[in-house]
PDB file of all heavy atoms in Angstrom:
ATOM      1  N   ASP I 674       1.952 -18.326   9.933  1.00 94.00           N
ATOM      2  CA  ASP I 674       3.371 -17.993   9.825  1.00 94.00           C
ATOM      3  C   ASP I 674       3.590 -16.512  10.116  1.00 94.00           C
ATOM      4  O   ASP I 674       3.030 -15.642   9.448  1.00 94.00           O
ATOM      5  CB  ASP I 674       3.888 -18.321   8.422  1.00 94.00           C
ATOM      6  CG  ASP I 674       4.058 -19.820   8.201  1.00 94.00           C
ATOM      7  OD1 ASP I 674       4.023 -20.572   9.194  1.00 94.00           O
ATOM      8  OD2 ASP I 674       4.218 -20.228   7.033  1.00 94.00           O
ATOM      9  N   GLY I 766     -14.676  -3.012   5.686  1.00 98.00           N
ATOM     10  CA  GLY I 766     -13.947  -4.022   6.433  1.00 98.00           C
ATOM     11  C   GLY I 766     -14.861  -4.927   7.239  1.00 98.00           C
ATOM     12  O   GLY I 766     -14.468  -5.392   8.310  1.00 98.00           O
ATOM     13  N   PRO I 775     -29.335 -26.728   9.355  1.00 80.00           N
ATOM     14  CA  PRO I 775     -30.410 -26.609  10.353  1.00 80.00           C
ATOM     15  C   PRO I 775     -29.835 -26.172  11.696  1.00 80.00           C
ATOM     16  O   PRO I 775     -28.759 -26.619  12.104  1.00 80.00           O
ATOM     17  CB  PRO I 775     -30.979 -28.027  10.417  1.00 80.00           C
ATOM     18  CG  PRO I 775     -30.624 -28.636   9.112  1.00 80.00           C
ATOM     19  CD  PRO I 775     -29.302 -28.051   8.721  1.00 80.00           C
TER      20      PRO I 775
END
Side-chain angles (χ1 to χ4, degrees):
D674 286 347

